[in-house]
Amino acid sequence: MQYQKSKRLSIISIFITALCCFIFQGNTITAYGSSGFSCVFLSQYQKEIDIGDEFYLLAWTSNGKKPSWKSSDSKVASVNTYGLVTGKRAGTVKITAKISGAEMSCRVTVRKTEVSLSQKSITLERNESIKLNAKTSNGAAVKWKSSRKSVAVVDESGLVTAVKPGEAVITASVDGTGVTCLVTVKQPDVALNQELVTLFRGQTVKLKAEVSSGIAPVWKSNKKSVAFVDENGTVTAVKHGTAVITAKVDGVSRICQVTVKQPEITLSDTELTLSPGESVSLTAEVSSGNPVIWSVSNKKVAEITGDGKVTAYKKGTCYLYASEDGVKERCVLRVQ
């Protein structure tokens, strides 16, 4: 009688084991002994989650005891002593609940986080900004990074700002997945309002630069002794000659050639005859409008003041000069 009862229990155990193996294909269940049967049932046997997701896996055991939990790869998904499963990185693992004589597994797939950007390439000029938008499959926030901060920078919200001409790669990454956007910071278009200027000494002219990026250019003269330029583009002629004025922005240069020409001087008289003690005024017309500098070759014979007044002293001959920016005209004075 006892033998038949034991035989029936063995047959039932084999039947249940076969049934479990049929229902839970791909999972493992193990039974030991002919007089007893151990088994584990789980709340689910397959599960897909995102990185960072958690869920509880419930287990029912034939002996009523709490099972031990184990992950086949805790780097992909971990499980604690209460069956709380946490997705960590993309991949597939088996989460196993085990008791003495039996175990059962749940296949957990941790999905790869997908990331997409609003733009794959952009072109900017220095100081321009644009907002990149990133979408992730699990709603996680991305981390932003620039490959060349000297060219373009990006903040935590995805706002890209151009720094200088060149190329930089902006990367949005999350959970080991990254997507990129190529940022090209182009050189600006620069144009000057004048390319050739002619001035007399002391005259000024304002050069204007149109820059597509709106950045103010750096002004420079190659010959400051002839003409110099200030930070606003105002050129001042110093003396006769030629100078090149350059406006430069982000590696782009435009030039203007400045010619400071010599003036023409016309005297009211080219010859004078005076007696000792006699005075006369000499005048000069200068095309530049600048005043002349008066001088005399022999101060013992005569003198000339800054306003052109000539006074004869003693008999003799001398020359009266009117000079301006390298040009000199003379008047012959005879004192008789």
Side-chain angles (χ1 to χ4, degrees), residues 200-201 203 261-268 282-294 306 321-329:
F200 287 115
R201 184 178 69 87
Q203 290 184 330
K261 69 177 184 178
Q262 289 181 307
E264 295 178 359
I265 301 174
T266 303
L267 297 180
S268 58
L282 189 62
T283 61
E285 290 185 3
V286 186
S287 59
S288 66
N290 292 324
V292 296
I293 296 174
W294 296 100
Y321 295 104
S323 303
E324 158 59 4
D325 195 17
V327 177
K328 181 183 286 188
E329 294 294 334

Side-chain angles (χ1 to χ4, degrees), residues 319-335:
Y319 298 101
L320 304 171
Y321 295 104
S323 303
E324 158 59 4
D325 195 17
V327 177
K328 181 183 286 188
E329 294 294 334
R330 75 179 186 179
C331 173
V332 179
L333 172 64
R334 296 179 179 87
V335 181

Side-chain angles (χ1 to χ4, degrees), residues 28-320:
T28 303
I29 182 168
T30 306
Y32 295 92
S34 60
S35 60
F37 175 72
S38 298
C39 62
V40 180
F41 297 94
L42 300 179
S43 56
Q44 47 192 321
Y45 298 92
Q46 289 189 15
K47 180 75 172 178
E48 287 191 5
I49 60 174
D50 290 320
I51 297 174
D53 283 354
E54 294 181 335
F55 74 98
Y56 277 100
L57 191 58
L58 304 179
W60 292 269
T61 61
S62 58
N63 61 7
K65 294 183 178 180
K66 184 177 76 173
S68 62
W69 295 94
K70 184 179 180 181
S71 169
S72 61
D73 189 346
S74 58
K75 293 181 180 179
V76 174
S78 63
V79 61
N80 68 7
T81 56
Y82 302 101
L84 179 64
V85 181
T86 303
K88 293 186 173 180
R89 74 179 186 188
T92 301
V93 297
K94 284 186 176 182
I95 303 298
T96 302
K98 184 176 182 180
I99 62 173
S100 177
E103 63 182 38
M104 185 61 72
S105 299
C106 173
R107 180 185 179 90
V108 176
T109 299
V110 182
R111 291 184 290 258
K112 179 182 178 181
T113 304
E114 301 294 335
V115 187
S116 62
L117 279 182
S118 54
Q119 298 187 65
K120 293 183 179 180
S121 64
I122 54 177
T123 300
L124 301 171
E125 290 189 7
R126 181 156 69 102
N127 285 355
E128 284 187 328
S129 297
I130 192 169
K131 179 77 162 57
L132 292 179
N133 296 310
K135 292 183 179 180
T136 60
S137 57
N138 62 356
V142 300
K143 291 184 178 180
W144 298 93
K145 184 180 180 181
S146 170
S147 64
R148 292 182 68 189
K149 294 181 180 179
S150 61
V151 173
V153 294
V154 60
D155 67 11
E156 64 277 3
S157 68
L159 182 66
V160 180
T161 302
V163 178
K164 73 174 185 179
E167 289 186 342
V169 176
I170 303 298
T171 302
S173 60
V174 61
D175 298 333
T177 301
V179 291
T180 61
C181 174
L182 176 63
V183 177
T184 301
V185 182
K186 69 174 186 176
Q187 291 181 312
D189 297 322
V190 183
L192 290 182
N193 61 332
Q194 298 186 71
E195 295 180 352
L196 293 171
V197 172
T198 300
L199 301 172
F200 287 115
R201 184 178 69 87
Q203 290 184 330
T204 63
V205 66
K206 179 75 164 63
L207 295 180
K208 296 180 180 179
E210 292 185 3
V211 185
S212 59
S213 64
I215 304 297
V218 175
W219 297 94
K220 185 179 180 181
S221 170
N222 75 329
K223 207 168 185 181
K224 294 180 181 180
S225 61
V226 172
F228 64 87
V229 61
D230 66 14
E231 66 275 8
N232 299 312
T234 299
V235 180
T236 302
V238 178
K239 72 174 186 177
H240 67 277
T242 301
V244 175
I245 304 299
T246 303
K248 187 174 183 179
V249 186
D250 288 336
V252 179
S253 298
R254 295 292 180 266
I255 64 171
C256 175
Q257 180 175 294
V258 176
T259 300
V260 182
K261 69 177 184 178
Q262 289 181 307
E264 295 178 359
I265 301 174
T266 303
L267 297 180
S268 58
D269 295 281
T270 56
E271 291 185 10
L272 288 172
T273 301
L274 298 175
S275 300
E278 191 177 358
S279 296
V280 68
S281 290
L282 189 62
T283 61
E285 290 185 3
V286 186
S287 59
S288 66
N290 292 324
V292 296
I293 296 174
W294 296 100
S295 62
V296 62
S297 63
N298 191 337
K299 294 182 179 181
K300 293 181 179 180
V301 175
E303 74 167 359
I304 186 168
T305 61
D307 57 0
K309 184 179 179 180
V310 181
T311 301
Y313 289 146
K314 70 177 185 177
K315 292 181 179 181
T317 300
C318 66
Y319 298 101
L320 304 171

